[in-house]
Structure formats: C-alpha cells, structure tokens
Amino acid sequence: MSARMVLLGPPGAGKGTQAVRISERLSVPAISTGDIFRAHVAGSTELGRRARAYMDKGEYVPDSVTNAMVADRLTEDDAASGFLLDGYPRTAAQVDALDDMLSERGEALDVVVEITADADVVVEITADADAVVERLLGRAAEQGRADDTEPVIRRRLEVYAEATAPLAAIYEGRGLLLRVDGMGGIDEVTDRIMAALAARLSV
C-alpha cells in the first residue's frame, strides 16, 4: 500500500513508537528527523555540526539544514512508494518546503495523523507539563540521551506549542488531518490509528 504521511504530536505523545508500528503495517519507511539529525551528528558531518548547536538547546534546527536532510532522505529507494515522516514538518515554512519536494516528483501527501495527548499540557506550559517532562526524562535515561535535560525538554514543549501545533490547522484546512487519541496502552493507540487510516485510505 502506497501511503505518504506525516505524524504529528507533542513531545511525549508516543510518536516514535507508533511510527515504527505504522510503518511496519503499511510497509513504508518511518523517517524520523531526530534519527537523521543524530546520524549526522554522530558522523560529524557539516550539517550535523550545524544541527547540534541547536539540538543541545532544545531549539529547532534551521529550515535550511533540516530541509536539506529530509530532501536527501526522501530520494532513497525505500521511500519511492511511500513514507511516514515523524518530526517533520515542524514549521509552516517546512510545510511549504515539503510540498515543493513532493510536487517536483509529481507526488503529494495522502494523510496527516495527529496523536493527541492532554492538550493543556502542550498549549499551556504550566506545572501540568511535569508529567510529560518526567516521562521524557525517563525515556532519555533509558536511551542514553544525555542531552535531554529538563530545561531542554521544557523548551521543546514550548517550541512545539509555538511553532508545530498550528500545523494541524493547516492540514485540517486541506482535509488531510486525522486526530487520534494518544492516551492509553500502546496497542490500543496503534489500533485506533490503523482504524482511522483504514477508513481514510482503504488500508
């Protein structure tokens, strides 16, 4: 099944876990900008060095760097018949850049899935965000991400609310958005997402 999709959701909503599961079900690659960034940083590429200065502060990597990395990844053979983007686009400018990348190949997105958590945790960065921060700190410890400190995580939540959350409205206006409740067990959320996709894409 060919599917070109974007997965949206706040930090801590379980996007990474669900991205892997969905990609397996649809037989398309899960492309995580976080993974791409880390690969470039680990390889000490020029793009990686530029990206790291922003990642270490919890800021978004500039579009010029991010777009170049994503465009390069989408040219790989495994993405020819579809893909799932996790962590991109993150800004309205990146939405336009992705549109351009795809239109140059005569392609377009099929669907955008937004995994929702407690909206107030993301939109209003208050003490209620503590649960999300705690979850992300635990994940950072498990995965050995020393750069995911509490200040960095809190800044990521703020940046998401400012720049990325509005993208849902853009895609909703295009009739591409599917909202799926991200609360509950991993299997439960996966089933909800696949059911929503089946209704939209005849998966």
Side-chain angles (χ1 to χ4, degrees), residues 126-173:
T126 65
D128 291 340
D130 289 348
V132 175
V133 172
E134 196 66 30
R135 190 181 316 135
L136 291 174
L137 285 173
R139 185 181 71 182
E142 291 173 4
Q143 299 179 356
R145 297 187 189 179
D147 56 333
D148 274 4
T149 61
E150 182 170 341
V152 168
I153 289 171
R154 288 189 181 278
R155 179 54 187 156
R156 281 169 55 201
L157 287 170
E158 292 172 353
V159 172
Y160 179 85
E162 293 165 2
T164 306
L167 302 192
I170 293 175
Y171 285 123
E172 186 171 32

Side-chain angles (χ1 to χ4, degrees), residues 7-198:
L7 193 61
L8 297 176
K15 290 192 308 300
T17 298
Q18 295 302 331
V20 172
R21 288 173 157 234
I22 297 166
S23 72
E24 290 174 350
R25 302 276 187 97
L26 299 182
S27 297
V28 298
I31 300 173
S32 163
T33 48
D35 289 344
I36 296 174
F37 290 154
R38 282 186 284 274
H40 277 272
V41 169
S44 295
T45 68
E46 180 182 351
L47 288 174
R49 287 191 293 273
R50 291 169 61 189
R52 182 166 190 169
Y54 294 88
M55 294 167 64
D56 286 348
K57 295 183 292 186
E59 301 286 349
Y60 281 165
V61 177
D63 289 352
S64 59
V65 177
T66 305
N67 294 340
M69 290 182 178
V70 173
D72 180 67
R73 178 65 181 86
L74 290 180
T75 63
E76 295 185 21
D77 291 343
D78 65 342
S81 62
F83 54 79
L84 184 159
L85 284 171
D86 170 18
Y88 183 93
R90 290 189 173 187
T91 66
Q94 288 179 5
V95 169
D96 293 337
L98 179 58
D99 287 344
D100 290 342
M101 288 177 211
L102 296 178
S103 65
E104 287 175 3
R105 295 154 49 174
E107 300 170 353
L109 287 176
D110 296 308
V111 65
V112 175
V113 174
E114 180 185 19
I115 299 178
T116 62
D118 290 332
D120 291 343
V121 171
V122 180
V123 177
E124 300 177 19
I125 305 302
T126 65
D128 291 340
D130 289 348
V132 175
V133 172
E134 196 66 30
R135 190 181 316 135
L136 291 174
L137 285 173
R139 185 181 71 182
E142 291 173 4
Q143 299 179 356
R145 297 187 189 179
D147 56 333
D148 274 4
T149 61
E150 182 170 341
V152 168
I153 289 171
R154 288 189 181 278
R155 179 54 187 156
R156 281 169 55 201
L157 287 170
E158 292 172 353
V159 172
Y160 179 85
E162 293 165 2
T164 306
L167 302 192
I170 293 175
Y171 285 123
E172 186 171 32
R174 297 183 184 182
L176 291 174
L177 188 70
L178 289 177
R179 284 193 173 90
V180 178
D181 182 4
M183 305 304 288
I186 293 174
D187 290 340
E188 184 180 359
V189 175
T190 301
D191 289 343
R192 284 192 205 122
I193 294 173
M194 293 310 300
L197 288 174

